[in-house]
Amino acid sequence: MNEDWALYEVFIRARSGLEHKHVGSLHAADARMALEHARDTYTRRQEGVSIWVVRSIDILASDPEEAGELFEPARDKVYRHPTFYSIPEEVKNI
Amino acid sequence: MRPGLKFLYHIRLGSVHMYTQALDSCGTEPPSVAPAGEAERERQFQERIDRDEKIEPKDWMPDAYRQTLIRQIAQHAHSEIIGMLPEGNWITRAPSLRRKAVLIAKVQDEGGHGMYLYSAAETLGVSRGELMAQLLAGRAKYSSIFNYPTLTWADIGAIGWLVDGAAIMNQIPLCRCSYGPYARAMVRICKEESFHQRQGYEIMLTLARSGTRAQREMAQDALDRWWWPSLMMFGPSDVESGHTAQSMRWRIKRFTNDELRQKFIDATVPQARFLGLSIPDPDLRWDEASQHYASGPIDWGEFQAVLKGEGPCNRERLAARRAAHESGRWVREAAAAYADKHSDHRTGTGPAPGYAQAS
Ligand SMILES: [Fe+2]
Ligand SMILES: [Fe+2]
């Protein structure tokens, strides 16, 4: 019953100048088939000029339960933003 | 170890097994604490929903939410796949090359919709093979509408206009559904549906407004047969439907079945009038007080019978789906054998010959 081909994640560049964006996933026997299925499944209306496929199992992701700890260190570093610094009004172009 | 990196894991849990593990790990807490912890998590989960936050695959979610979504998304996916059959029936007999190209494109879109939806269901920990096996074994539900036959070319017009029209009414609110992958699949689907409805209405226009008398009658006959089953697509009345309240609390559903059905009737009646066709409902009338059309009772007995497998085409649809699955077996086996034979290319240091490396 459970004889699925490998799961691939599909990323598409909508047009040159843009980054590839995750659009979904599909099953395929190999990488070439994954590309061809991605073409048929996700670009029937010229949605892209380039496709990446990557086996889902090869992607590592952070754990949402750990998001607090993971992203917390950035929260108190407001000095990384330009608005942290007050500059007198008469100073221009800065 | 850096905080937050203790558990790096795959973006897809990919199988029920791994979800079971995740749930098991909740169970390792002391028994006296576990129920309270669970209730607290559920409360926090509902708060996220109430804030209109999206739930993503690896976020904690109550098991009932997961199961409700698996059931709904799978039924939806199966409907797209089985829905290819009644229309596919007319591809070889489309009256012109233009109509044929359009119908092929539409049927291919429906196959694509099925793929987006299976892929969304899989993020919840059910495998595609399992879903397919349920469908082929006749254990899965799909929309009752696809168990009606397509007897004439006008049925292809009526399906696009009414069936896709009803599907659009159902699907637009699902684009804002609380579960991220389902909502994103629905956005993609809704973008494609509008052409489906328009091409159907265009077929009806050609038959009903510029056609011969026989063609007008064919259009009216198609409307007569598809009207009530299309209204049934929205599901049982709110008083009957057990799932509605909870699904609305979870923001999987945004409107009740009856609200959506009413919207559909209000939108469709004037379109029928423009075609010069009459809706087969003697009780249909404009209600000035509510500013909606009032309509006659739906034969829910018929709906239940079709769901139970007693519709005109239930057996035929499943048989066609099984035959397609079986006759594709050698292709799948050949592809797998080919992939095995060439797997040394993939496990090497670079991509297989002929592939550009992602950069
Ligand atoms: Fe569809
Ligand atoms: Fe459609």
Side-chain angles (χ1 to χ4, degrees):
Chain A
M1 175 170 98
N2 204 342
E3 49 195 44
D4 285 334
W5 286 332
L7 191 61
Y8 286 80
E9 300 299 323
V10 181
F11 300 80
I12 298 210
R13 186 200 296 287
R15 48 174 207 278
S16 58
L18 295 179
E19 57 278 78
H20 286 76
K21 199 174 147 201
H22 183 245
V23 294
S25 64
L26 46 77
H27 291 273
D30 59 22
R32 166 159 209 118
M33 187 194 274
L35 272 181
E36 285 165 358
H37 283 185
R39 195 271 315 262
D40 290 345
T41 309
Y42 293 104
T43 65
R44 289 192 301 281
R45 289 173 177 76
Q46 298 179 290
E47 286 93 340
V49 295
S50 161
I51 303 173
W52 288 351
V53 290
V54 59
R55 285 197 309 178
S56 309
I57 204 164
D58 291 332
I59 297 182
L60 292 177
S62 59
D63 179 352
E65 304 266 313
E66 306 264 304
E69 292 171 70
L70 187 60
F71 300 109
E72 168 34 43
R75 189 179 302 168
D76 58 2
K77 296 182 179 57
V78 284
Y79 47 83
R80 283 181 166 148
H81 296 279
T83 46
F84 179 74
Y85 306 91
S86 48
I87 305 287
E89 284 238 352
E90 52 269 44
V91 183
K92 300 296 177 202
N93 298 321
I94 186 163
Chain B
M1 191 178 283
R2 284 162 60 196
L5 293 178
K6 276 176 283 185
F7 303 108
L8 274 175
Y9 52 40
H10 295 118
I11 54 161
R12 299 284 183 150
L13 298 174
S15 68
V16 174
H17 166 70
M18 293 181 79
Y19 274 106
T20 313
Q21 266 186 344
L23 296 171
D24 284 347
S25 66
C26 306
T28 58
E29 289 169 60
S32 55
V33 182
E38 194 77 357
E40 173 58 17
R41 292 192 115 175
E42 242 167 84
R43 198 185 55 76
Q44 287 173 2
F45 176 82
Q46 189 60 48
E47 277 173 12
R48 291 190 64 193
I49 301 265
D50 295 343
R51 284 196 300 270
D52 248 336
E53 275 181 42
K54 295 286 180 202
I55 307 302
E56 294 295 342
K58 297 193 320 140
D59 294 348
W60 185 88
M61 61 187 86
D63 198 48
Y65 177 83
R66 183 187 302 281
Q67 297 311 327
T68 299
L69 278 168
I70 290 176
R71 192 177 51 237
Q72 178 171 337
I73 301 173
Q75 279 178 19
H76 196 161
H78 296 326
S79 302
E80 302 283 355
I81 296 301
I82 296 291
M84 298 164 81
L85 296 170
E87 289 178 293
N89 179 35
W90 278 90
I91 287 176
T92 55
R93 290 174 290 161
S96 69
L97 192 56
R98 176 181 183 270
R99 294 286 188 214
K100 184 171 179 165
V102 167
L103 188 55
I104 290 173
K106 180 189 189 283
V107 172
Q108 192 190 14
D109 271 358
E110 306 300 4
H113 297 174
M115 296 302 117
Y116 307 152
L117 288 162
Y118 284 128
S119 146
E122 281 178 291
T123 65
L124 291 158
V126 64
S127 78
R128 179 122 16 160
E130 240 171 291
L131 295 176
M132 203 45 76
Q134 286 170 5
L135 176 64
L136 295 176
R139 282 184 284 117
K141 273 193 199 157
Y142 57 84
S143 181
S144 57
I145 193 85
F146 301 118
N147 290 316
Y148 291 87
T150 41
L151 303 178
T152 72
W153 172 251
D155 288 17
I156 301 307
I159 288 182
W161 172 36
L162 301 172
V163 176
D164 288 83
I168 291 171
M169 283 291 174
N170 255 328
Q171 289 170 348
I172 286 177
L174 286 172
C175 296
R176 294 190 296 130
C177 152
S178 62
Y179 187 57
Y182 192 25
R184 292 192 286 276
M186 292 319 306
V187 168
R188 195 171 281 281
I189 288 174
C190 284
K191 275 190 200 155
E192 302 184 352
E193 284 295 352
S194 143
F195 128 65
H196 297 180
Q197 192 187 19
R198 290 171 69 112
Q199 66 84 35
Y201 194 72
E202 193 196 67
I203 292 173
M204 295 305 274
L205 276 172
T206 308
L207 294 172
R209 300 236 340 176
S210 35
T212 62
R213 189 186 162 156
Q215 287 172 323
R216 261 201 317 280
E217 283 170 5
M218 193 163 86
Q220 180 63 56
D221 169 63
L223 172 57
D224 289 347
R225 284 180 292 108
W226 290 95
W227 175 253
W228 292 104
S230 297
L231 295 189
M232 293 175 198
M233 282 178 72
F234 295 94
S237 166
D238 298 341
V239 264
E240 307 277 318
S241 170
H243 301 303
T244 295
Q246 182 56 272
S247 283
M248 291 191 58
R249 227 165 67 82
W250 279 331
R251 301 203 181 170
I252 296 172
K253 263 178 105 97
R254 300 269 177 169
F255 297 96
T256 69
N257 296 349
D258 287 336
E259 283 168 345
L260 291 167
R261 189 167 14 245
Q262 186 63 52
K263 270 177 190 255
F264 174 75
I265 294 172
D266 290 344
T268 310
V269 171
Q271 295 166 355
R273 187 162 304 141
F274 186 82
L275 292 171
L277 301 177
S278 52
I279 303 262
D281 178 357
D283 298 325
L284 189 79
R285 59 176 176 82
W286 175 250
D287 180 53
E288 198 54 47
S290 65
Q291 291 290 299
H292 290 292
Y293 284 96
S295 51
I298 291 172
D299 180 0
W300 292 113
E302 176 181 327
F303 175 73
Q304 295 300 343
V306 176
L307 272 193
K308 262 192 278 158
E310 294 154 21
C313 297
N314 296 55
R315 236 160 284 164
E316 186 185 328
R317 298 290 181 244
L318 268 191
R321 189 57 228 139
R322 282 186 195 127
H325 192 76
E326 277 315 307
S327 58
R329 182 177 294 280
W330 71 271
V331 180
R332 293 192 297 277
E333 285 171 0
Y338 181 86
D340 270 354
K341 202 170 160 189
H342 293 79
S343 60
D344 42 332
H345 291 294
R346 289 183 299 133
T347 50
T349 47
Y355 295 103
Q357 198 150 19
S359 57

